[in-house]
Amino acid sequence: MRAITLRANPALDDETWEFKVPNDALTLPKNQKPTTIFGKVVSFSIEAITLRIEQFPSNRILNADDPSKFILMSFNRTFRFPDQSPKVTVEYIVRMMKRGFLLNGVQYRFYHHSHSQLRGRSCFLRAANTDAELDLRIYRMGDFGKIMNVAKRAKRIALLFSSAQIDYHLDPKCVADIPDIQLGDEVFSDGCGLISKRLAIQLSRTKKIVFRETRYTPTVFQIRYLGYKGVLMLHPELDTTTKHLAQFRKSMKKFTSTADNTFSVVGHSRPYSFGRLNNDIIVLLSSLGVSNEKLLAKQQEYFDWITNASKDATKAIDFLSCLELYPLVERALLDGIDDPAVKKEIRRLQSSEVSKARDERTNKFKSRMMIHKSRRLFGVCDPYQVLKEGEVHIRITAARRGPATPIHADVVVVRNPCLHPGDCLKLRAVQHPKLAHLVDCIVFATVAKPGHKAAPSMSSGGDLDGDEFFVCWDSDLVPSRVSESYDYPGNKEFNKKEVTRADLAAHFASYNASGVAKVSALHAKWARSSPLGALCVQCQELNALHSQSVDGANIRIPDKLATPPEQTEPYILDLLEEASDKFSILFTESASRRTDILVVDQEEGKKLLGQLLQSKQSAVSEYELFNLACRLATKHSIDIRPYLCQIDIGALTTAEKHTITTTLSLSAVDYPYIWNSLVRSDILTARDLYQRDLGRPFSLHRLYSSRISGLSTFFEYLRMATQDYTRKVLILQTDPRFAIGIFMRGVIPWDEDPEVNENVVVCSFMPRTASSATLRPCTAGYRLHCSDYRLQLYDKQIQQTFIFVTRPPAASGVEVATSIALDKISRSVLQNLGKVLRKPVTAIELHVVSNRDRVAHQLFDLWFEHVPTEESVRRFDRKPAPYRLNALQDVEWDALDDPWLKGAFYRNKHTADSMAEYLSRKMLPEIDKILDFAIRYHAEDEIFLVFVYVIQQQPLSHAFAIRWIERYPSLTFALLKAYPPDNETRLNAELESFVHSIVRNIIRSANDTRIAALVALEKIAKSIGMMNLEHYIDILMLTALSVRSKNLVQEVLLVLNESRLEHAPSSAAAAYGHKHALGVVFDCAEEAADECPCNDDGRPKKKQRVPPSHAKLAFGPDYEKSSQVVATIRIDARNSLRLHSHVRLQAASKAENRWIDAPIMDGVVVQALKGELKINLFHPAPPEMEVMDWNMYDAGSIATTNAMTDALKRLLGEREECCAFYSLITGEGGSEISEELETELDESSTIPEGLNESQITAMKSWRSPLSLIWGPPGKNTIINANLYHCLILSDTSLLSRDWKNHCHGPNIA
């Protein structure tokens, strides 16, 4: 909306602010989303006071109130009267707040603001006649009245106005308060609570948190709930040890409230949140000794990273993935970075990175170089107190190394804004098993020596209520010098006897952030001019003033700090700015000269594939890299299998390995390294593996390699291996001539000396000698000690040590040393090597077996039992038949009966215009053939082009539209686009006659279209509401049986139900039908979800209570009309499927020629014979169905559901003809008993003697409009009396009054 000027040039002496505008100027936009709030925005600038309608930020206050009663008032940063002090402007705003702002006769008074609005000079006004009315509203939501400091009360009330969407309604009974972790006055858990995995998953689903198109559950949530503010960190123990879903610390409770149970997530942890070096951090690092050369080199690396994105496809992938533009990554790889659209997008992103080196408003230089060995992470506390002071636990999602790689290094941790060198904390990152579930966050220690501060508070006075920290482990940027941190004191609080709304308004009006800007500017000048940089005394004093002025407090800058000396030498920021400006010029010039890159052919594709797999990516996992490589290989018809050796198999999960081997049909014999990480060992040779038969298919995963993680971290990984895995192998090398393997099974307690007996086997490897590898099983009495500094294997007494591995003193210069009693292996080994006594270890590896892999456990144990593996022949061959999807490039056009079809597909690529020209010469039967051919050969573009052309012809052929949306449900969206619904959510008049078919096919496409299907249903809500009730119930049933995602089916059912409730003709019978139909289908959908659980993408989960049956499918003779297929299954296979069974059919494998998910269909069994089932499908079958193998899942029986829906449709359709009690059941008729019936009942209500209390209650129950007695009460007289009363209440004119003579207890049904 265009802004309306309420007053031009506001004057200093203004006394009233009363305005009138046309009512239509205040009209809010139509068709706004439920979560979107629009309202009146009034802006003050020195030029004018203006009004416009804009979107409001969502917050708890607006969500619980009427937004039309609000005005969002903002004051431009430049709003200051000329030649006047800032105080005059403050007085103007205060005066306006006291008088009130009148718009069209409604008075609006100061209400409040969020903290960010306070800094941005904006606040909310609400319609009210007095301040007391507003106070009553605010103080109802929290106990703010007891806070007698104006600034603190404003800060607490601001939490209600902070931006937050309603994500969840959390019952306060499900949460608990817990104490803070505290030592003296120091709080280590300030703002950090705990959340259960159940609630974390539910929040992720409700808020639809996704990462790279996959649902993602963070480990840290920044929240607002009741009076709590802070973060909740994942704490799995809550799922097992308590009924609470979340626990809040005392420090999180900012006020007490019971008025609003809405739970809001305002932030959460994310993978690949790379850190950037800004001016503040650079100044501090430079002051702490990081050289100018290193900082300039890092900036140049950043510039090269930007530049190379348009030169090299692998660099482009890294560039785009780091910027979280993963969809563009696939386009860049498959279409090439020379593709015009891709090139344009990369160029735009490069230009954006370059241009952001200068502030848009001030044009000042501001560094923002990305550091790949860094992250921006939420801080949380260590709830177990296992970390020592000065330690942190960091596990990040690292590229090509799996989802949770521990960081073991010195790290620099800093929080913005930062002006003191002590804000840069140098901490030691370690790994601890108890904290292993916390990923993509930094866990701070919760212990310290008396008088020491918590680490977060030492960095710019931070805490854990949502602060994010720059964490960097790049050795070039971790300073060798550290500075003592500043002791950040809290601002003094001045309490008043009474705090009024005028005080709060004055606090808003007088808030001034100019003090922060002045201090920051002076700090930068002193840092430039002093040889000590930010370590100079003046900078440290200015930091103290900065910490006081952050919250708007007025400060006075002493004269001694106000005049820094002139800078004499170029400062690091000047050098970086100069280099940045040169790069910006060169980048612009080179971009204009850049020539197009050649189109990639197959040979170039092979070269690119090799480069991709060898590239160092910063934000792509190993499995994502494989997917990209596989798609590239498929595009250029390259066999990817020879390139698999360049994949780091150790970074893949077991599920990902299964996917790769299945997709590429890799034999475990031909490709053993997929499963056996020993095959890719850096220590063992092929000869070593052959001698001990270690190279066979065997599920071993490399947990640690000193080549990658360094020798210094060995004992941390040893702890992980011994505590988290029951089968593990330690390979240790002292020189190229000798290595030793220690095979261990069972749980090995840490820092103890348990008996391991025969559960440890030692194997020596000597690749350069003629002797073979020697196996030495341990015997009863052997003990194994593992701790933070040594591993020791000995026989009963420590004097009988076999193997000793230790961490020597630092002065020795050796990171890990070992002593081995070689004579315990064999004399020949001792003779060849001599003694191994405190010898430096050159390389170490740890390989582990998944605790869930029982087969691998059995294979592992063979080294203890020394029994060769026997072949196991399976009863059923589960290997699915390979198949290819029909593709246009495989068509032999000349062999077709209709070779003219080629014109519709092979004219380079049709546009809408060229297709229209081609089809204009075709009759409708020929167009049907084209569409049929396009569907059979998956020509998606042509399907839509042809369909859209035909439906745009007038008059619209209803038969054509219905026929093809049934064949290809996604075409329904093209139909709705061509004939859009009106603003009243009613279908276009052209489509009203087949609304049932349209809704049906939106539902059938919902598994693929998901949110689009929901939007489409909402846009035709009125037409759904006006549908025939029988058709509507059929649609509900189809939804329950065909939409597989549990969340999605619920959302679709609720959208359908809301459409009926809002638009269907209102009646008691209709309400009854809608209520019970929804209940029946909800039960049906829940049964399907229980019997065949599916993930959020609607794909059956791998773990099912009942394994699927395996079947071959064939099209039924009348498939086009009935959608019936015939399933053939093994007669000797177990099978739970019966008549009326709901089945889910999933292709047992993926196509060889296209990288798409295996298709899934739902259906219901209509005939069940031995070894054969006839199934009516709800989804179209793929053309290749008959050559594919299928997994058939039992999703429960729908016999009862069918009976219930049929009964409901009959009751509502036939009314009293179906049931005499129709009016009483549905509430359609009156339910009062007439006076005549009341009299007749009284006359016949003699209660027989000798009845118990239940029988008397049964006798009296018939005075209700409708009653049901469960089972006969026990006496014929009672049954007869009750039936008599029942007939009196009903129409008994046609019944004989002597019915008692013919009805006796045993004959009454």
Side-chain angles (χ1 to χ4, degrees), residues 792-803 821 824:
Q792 192 164 12
L793 178 66
Y794 60 91
D795 186 5
K796 299 182 180 67
Q797 302 295 325
I798 203 164
Q799 293 81 2
Q800 297 294 322
T801 294
F802 184 176
I803 300 173
K824 290 181 178 291

Side-chain angles (χ1 to χ4, degrees), residues 418-574:
C418 52
L419 300 183
H420 193 283
D423 293 338
C424 286
L425 308 178
K426 187 178 179 181
L427 303 171
R428 180 67 182 173
V430 300
Q431 186 273 338
H432 199 284
K434 281 194 171 182
L435 304 171
H437 59 281
L438 295 169
V439 183
D440 294 319
C441 62
I442 177 170
V443 186
F444 290 97
T446 50
V447 295
K449 295 178 181 178
H452 287 200
K453 294 284 186 180
S457 67
M458 292 192 290
S459 183
S460 304
D463 53 30
L464 303 178
D465 70 350
D467 287 354
E468 291 183 275
F469 296 81
F470 172 82
V471 182
C472 176
W473 55 94
D474 190 325
S475 58
D476 290 337
L477 297 177
V478 177
S480 57
R481 182 193 304 176
V482 294
S483 171
E484 182 180 354
S485 298
Y486 173 65
D487 185 10
Y488 289 92
N491 289 334
K492 293 182 180 180
E493 294 185 1
F494 299 95
N495 292 337
K496 298 182 65 174
K497 292 184 179 180
E498 182 182 9
V499 177
T500 65
R501 182 148 297 279
D503 294 325
L504 296 173
H507 171 75
F508 166 79
S510 60
Y511 182 89
N512 188 356
S514 61
V516 174
K518 289 179 182 178
V519 171
S520 297
L522 285 171
H523 182 277
K525 290 180 180 178
W526 278 105
R528 289 170 182 270
S529 60
S530 171
L532 297 176
L535 281 170
C536 70
V537 173
Q538 294 84 358
C539 282
Q540 296 191 46
E541 289 182 290
L542 286 166
N543 173 69
L545 292 174
H546 183 272
S547 69
Q548 297 172 24
S549 61
V550 165
D551 288 330
N554 292 321
I555 57 169
R556 189 186 71 82
I557 300 175
D559 293 338
K560 65 176 183 177
L561 300 177
T563 54
E566 289 296 322
Q567 179 181 339
T568 58
E569 295 180 2
Y571 189 58
I572 179 59
L573 291 180
D574 300 324

Side-chain angles (χ1 to χ4, degrees), residues 552-768:
N554 292 321
I555 57 169
R556 189 186 71 82
I557 300 175
D559 293 338
K560 65 176 183 177
L561 300 177
T563 54
E566 289 296 322
Q567 179 181 339
T568 58
E569 295 180 2
Y571 189 58
I572 179 59
L573 291 180
D574 300 324
L575 299 174
L576 292 171
E577 181 178 4
E578 181 182 356
S580 177
D581 289 341
K582 287 182 180 178
F583 170 73
S584 179
I585 294 170
L586 290 173
F587 175 81
T588 304
E589 292 176 352
S590 64
S592 62
R593 295 195 304 265
R594 191 168 298 144
T595 57
D596 291 343
I597 301 172
L598 294 176
V599 176
V600 178
D601 57 16
Q602 188 179 55
E603 286 304 312
E604 288 294 321
K606 290 180 179 179
K607 185 178 178 181
L608 177 58
L609 184 60
Q611 292 173 346
L612 174 66
L613 293 175
Q614 295 173 30
S615 65
K616 291 184 178 180
Q617 297 294 323
S618 302
V620 178
S621 72
E622 198 70 8
Y623 185 64
E624 288 171 339
L625 193 70
F626 164 76
N627 282 332
L628 292 172
C630 194
R631 297 193 66 178
L632 178 64
T634 301
K635 179 179 180 180
H636 295 289
S637 302
I638 301 170
D639 184 0
I640 196 175
R641 287 173 291 187
Y643 296 85
L644 291 179
C645 58
Q646 299 177 37
I647 295 285
D648 185 356
I649 301 300
L652 301 174
T653 65
T654 301
E656 290 167 349
K657 291 179 183 179
H658 275 294
T659 302
I660 290 175
T661 54
T662 302
T663 302
L664 302 180
S665 300
L666 302 180
S667 163
V669 175
D670 296 333
Y671 297 87
Y673 60 83
I674 297 290
W675 298 106
N676 187 349
S677 56
L678 290 176
V679 177
R680 301 282 290 273
S681 170
D682 298 320
I683 299 175
L684 301 182
T685 65
R687 180 174 177 270
D688 294 328
L689 300 178
Y690 175 76
Q691 286 183 340
R692 291 310 317 163
D693 196 20
L694 293 171
R696 57 187 167 170
F698 177 52
S699 297
L700 268 176
H701 172 79
R702 187 171 67 188
L703 178 69
Y704 162 79
S705 169
S706 59
R707 179 181 61 84
I708 298 173
S709 302
L711 286 167
S712 61
T713 62
F714 163 64
F715 285 98
E716 296 174 20
Y717 280 97
L718 177 64
R719 180 169 187 164
M720 192 188 307
T722 56
Q723 303 307 296
D724 296 347
Y725 299 91
T726 59
R727 304 291 190 279
K728 48 265 175 188
V729 183
L730 167 63
I731 309 293
L732 183 148
Q733 185 181 53
T734 56
D735 62 54
R737 299 178 301 151
F738 177 73
I740 194 167
I742 306 175
F743 293 75
M744 298 169 275
R745 66 176 177 182
V747 177
I748 300 174
W750 192 251
D751 207 7
E752 297 181 20
D753 291 65
E755 285 192 1
V756 292
N757 301 321
E758 299 88 358
N759 289 312
V760 172
V761 172
V762 178
C763 183
S764 65
F765 303 96
M766 302 178 69
R768 297 187 180 182

Side-chain angles (χ1 to χ4, degrees), residues 77-120:
R77 291 182 182 275
T78 60
F79 180 61
R80 179 177 172 180
F81 293 103
D83 304 322
Q84 300 291 333
S85 68
K87 184 178 179 181
V88 174
T89 305
V90 171
E91 292 172 350
Y92 176 92
I93 297 174
V94 171
R95 189 165 69 250
M96 188 268 295
M97 296 290 188
K98 286 183 178 179
R99 301 283 171 85
F101 187 93
L102 273 77
L103 183 64
N104 285 8
V106 179
Q107 184 183 58
Y108 296 86
R109 306 184 70 83
F110 172 78
Y111 204 20
H112 210 69
H113 49 78
S114 68
H115 190 57
S116 60
Q117 287 174 333
L118 176 66
R119 295 197 302 266

